[in-house]
C-alpha cells in the first residue's frame, strides 16, 4: 500500500515544500496538489518537482473543463518531463458551482467529456497527429467553425512516457464505472471501507468488465486523517467542519454529490439535516450532526492497533494507496506519523 499526502500549504507554500523533503525521507510515496479556485496546481507541482527526487507528484485534481484536452496533455507531458517520470494526472469534473461560477463554462456532459479528454491525452502522449471527432471535442476545428486553416498536429517533444498514469476523482455510480474502465487510478472521497462494496462495488465491477488489461490493476486511492496514540480522539473533531461543508454546502439542494454519498452510506436523515442547517448559515450546528461513526470509520485516528486494523480493512476493500493527512502539533510529530503508518501498512 502506497502512502500519499495532500499538500496543505496554509502555513506558506515554500515552507511546506521545504518540509516535503523530510516526508520523502520518511517514506512518503506520492503527494497530491489540489486545484479548486485558488492558485493553479501546475506551477506548484513544477516547484515540487525541482525540490524532490523520488516523490511521485499528482494533480488532485485538474478539472476537465478549465483547460482544453490538448493543453491538459501538454501539461502532463511537461510535468512528467521536469519530474523525470514522476507525474500522475489527476482529473475530475469538479462541480457546477466552481465550473460555471468561477470559470464561466457550462457544466455539461461530465462523463462524456472526461472520456474524450483521456482519449485525446493518450493520443498526444503517443505523438500521434491529433485527429479527434467526438461529441464534445473536435480537433482540428472544422472549417465551418473557424478559419479552415487548422490541421492535425503532433506533440513536438518526445514525452518521457507515452502512458502517463491517469486518476479520476469520482463518487457517482457512472463516474466510478468510467474510472474503473479507462483510468489507471480512482480517487473517491469520504471512503468507508465497510460500505465501499455496497456503494461502489457494482460500478467497479461494470467498469472492470470493459477495462483494457494493458491498464493494469486499478489503483484505489482513499483518504484518511492520521493520528496514532492512546489519547488522540480529539483530532477527530477537526474533520467535522470539512465534512459538514461538503455534505451540507458543496452544492445546491438536490445537486450535491457529497450529500448523495452520505445518503447512500445510510445517513439519509443526517444528510438532510446537515444540508438544511448549512444552507441556512448554521454551520456549527451542521457540523455537530456529522455522524461520529462516519468520522471514525474513514479515519486513521486512534491507537496503533486501531490504525493497523483500519489499514487492513482498507486493504481488504481494495485500497492500494492511502492518502493521509498527518495530524501533529509539530513538523517532527507529523514526520514520525508518516514513518509509522508506512511501517503499519507494509
Amino acid at each position: 500500500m502506497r502512502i500519499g499526502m495532500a499538500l496543505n500549504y496554509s502555513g506558506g507554500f515554500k515552507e511546506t515544500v521545504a518540509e516535503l523533503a523530510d516526508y520523502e525521507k520518511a517514506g512518503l510515496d506520492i503527494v497530491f496538489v489540489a486545484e479548486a479556485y485558488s492558485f493553479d496546481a501546475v506551477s506548484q507541482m513544477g516547484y515540487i518537482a525541482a525540490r524532490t527526487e523520488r516523490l511521485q507528484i499528482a494533480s488532485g485534481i485538474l478539472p476537465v473543463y478549465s483547460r482544453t484536452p490538448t493543453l491538459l496533455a501538454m501539461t502532463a507531458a511537461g510535468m512528467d518531463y521536469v519530474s523525470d517520470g514522476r507525474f500522475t494526472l489527476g482529473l475530475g469534473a469538479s462541480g457546477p458551482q466552481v465550473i460555471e461560477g468561477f470559470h464561466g463554462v457550462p457544466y455539461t456532459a461530465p462523463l462524456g467529456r472526461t472520456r474524450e479528454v483521456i482519449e485525446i491525452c493518450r493520443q498526444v502522449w503517443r505523438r500521434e497527429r491529433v485527429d479527434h471527432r467526438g461529441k464534445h471535442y473536435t480537433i482540428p476545428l472544422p472549417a465551418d467553425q473557424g478559419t479552415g486553416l487548422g490541421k492535425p498536429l503532433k506533440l513536438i517533444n518526445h514525452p518521457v512516457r507515452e502512458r502517463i498514469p491517469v486518476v479520476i476523482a469520482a463518487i457517482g455510480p457512472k463516474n466510478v464505472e468510467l474510472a474503473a474502465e479507462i483510468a489507471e487510478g480512482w480517487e473517491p472521497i469520504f471512503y468507508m471501507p465497510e460500505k465501499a462494496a455496497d456503494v461502489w462495488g457494482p460500478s467497479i465491477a461494470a467498469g472492470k468488465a470493459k477495462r483494457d488489461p494493458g491498464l493494469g490493476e486499478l489503483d484505489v486511492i482513499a483518504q484518511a486523517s492520521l493520528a496514532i496514540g492512546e489519547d488522540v480522539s480529539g483530532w477527530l473533531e477537526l474533520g467535522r467542519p470539512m465534512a459538514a461543508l461538503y455534505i451540507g454546502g458543496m452544492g445546491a439542494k438536490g445537486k450535491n454529490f457529497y450529500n448523495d454519498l452520505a445518503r447512500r452510506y445510510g445517513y439519509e436523515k443526517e444528510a438532510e439535516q446537515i444540508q438544511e442547517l448549512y444552507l441556512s448559515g448554521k454551520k456549527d450546528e451542521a457540523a455537530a450532526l456529522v455522524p461520529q461513526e462516519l468520522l471514525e470509520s474513514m479515519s486513521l485516528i486512534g491507537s496503533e492497533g486501531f490504525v493497523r486494523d483500519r489499514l487492513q480493512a482498507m486493504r481488504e476493500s481494495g485500497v492500494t494507496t492511502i492518502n493521509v493527512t498527518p495530524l501533529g502539533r509539530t513538523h517532527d510529530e507529523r514526520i514520525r506519523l508518516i514513518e509509522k503508518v508506512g511501517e503499519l501498512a507494509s
Side-chain angles (χ1 to χ4, degrees):
M1 184 182 288
R2 288 192 306 174
I3 305 300
M5 185 179 76
L7 191 71
N8 185 337
Y9 51 92
S10 57
F13 177 72
K14 290 185 178 180
E15 292 80 1
T16 300
V17 173
E19 294 177 350
L20 269 181
D22 295 332
Y23 286 114
E24 186 176 38
K25 292 174 184 176
L28 188 70
D29 296 303
I30 184 168
V31 63
F32 292 79
V33 183
E35 182 178 276
Y37 41 97
S38 181
F39 296 139
D40 78 289
V42 179
S43 58
Q44 299 170 57
M45 292 188 294
Y47 185 85
I48 292 170
R51 298 295 298 271
T52 56
E53 298 177 0
R54 177 191 58 81
L55 197 64
Q56 299 287 310
I57 303 165
S59 55
I61 59 168
L62 297 183
V64 296
Y65 292 93
S66 57
R67 297 168 175 85
T68 66
T70 41
L71 179 56
L72 282 166
M74 293 165 63
T75 299
M79 273 302 311
D80 210 43
Y81 174 71
V82 299
S83 66
D84 296 321
R86 292 185 283 139
F87 182 64
T88 293
L89 177 61
L91 295 172
S94 186
Q97 289 73 28
V98 173
I99 299 307
E100 296 184 357
F102 192 70
H103 294 290
V105 177
Y107 189 83
T108 58
L111 285 172
R113 289 183 184 278
T114 301
R115 182 183 291 275
E116 289 190 36
V117 163
I118 294 173
E119 289 174 357
I120 294 166
C121 281
R122 288 172 174 161
Q123 198 173 5
V124 170
W125 299 333
R126 293 192 298 266
R127 294 193 74 242
E128 299 172 0
R129 295 192 182 277
V130 181
D131 191 347
H132 180 86
R133 310 291 169 175
K135 183 177 180 180
H136 308 289
Y137 300 101
T138 304
I139 306 172
L141 200 64
D144 61 353
Q145 296 181 32
T147 64
L149 299 177
K151 62 179 182 179
L153 299 172
K154 66 179 179 180
L155 192 69
I156 294 174
N157 303 82
H158 289 261
V160 174
R161 295 178 290 176
E162 71 167 27
R163 175 58 68 83
I164 295 170
V166 174
V167 168
I168 297 178
I171 55 176
K174 291 297 182 183
N175 305 62
V176 173
E177 180 179 334
L178 180 70
E181 178 191 349
I182 69 171
E184 278 84 0
W186 164 52
E187 184 177 10
I189 192 172
F190 299 150
Y191 188 87
M192 293 182 69
E194 289 81 6
K195 297 188 178 183
D198 292 336
V199 172
W200 289 307
S203 297
I204 294 292
K208 285 186 174 181
K210 298 175 284 186
R211 186 177 180 83
D212 180 352
L215 287 171
E217 289 298 314
L218 182 68
D219 183 21
V220 178
I221 305 164
Q223 304 171 16
S225 297
L226 172 67
I228 303 174
E230 297 302 324
D231 188 24
V232 295
S233 59
W235 288 111
L236 270 177
E237 295 302 307
L238 294 180
R240 285 190 181 279
M242 182 63 71
L245 166 64
Y246 277 79
I247 296 170
M250 198 67 77
K253 195 168 179 63
K255 193 68 173 178
N256 180 323
F257 308 130
Y258 312 100
N259 190 276
D260 293 343
L261 177 59
R263 292 171 185 268
R264 292 165 65 199
Y265 274 157
Y267 303 115
E268 294 91 349
K269 181 180 179 181
E270 293 90 340
E272 182 175 354
Q273 292 175 330
I274 290 169
Q275 188 175 57
E276 289 284 353
L277 288 167
Y278 204 97
L279 294 179
S280 64
K282 299 177 181 177
K283 298 180 181 179
D284 291 340
E285 292 91 331
L289 289 181
V290 174
Q292 185 77 7
E293 179 190 39
L294 176 63
L295 292 174
E296 291 177 351
S297 62
M298 64 184 189
S299 83
L300 295 174
I301 297 176
S303 66
E304 183 174 319
F306 173 85
V307 172
R308 183 184 291 108
D309 290 345
R310 297 312 298 158
L311 287 168
Q312 183 61 26
M314 290 185 178
R315 182 183 289 109
E316 289 175 356
S317 73
V319 173
T320 49
T321 298
I322 183 69
N323 201 13
V324 302
T325 302
L327 301 173
R329 292 175 178 81
T330 66
H331 176 59
D332 288 342
E333 286 183 14
R334 294 188 287 272
I335 290 296
R336 286 195 291 272
L337 283 170
I338 293 296
E339 292 174 339
K340 191 62 181 179
V341 77
E343 292 174 11
L344 296 175
S346 64

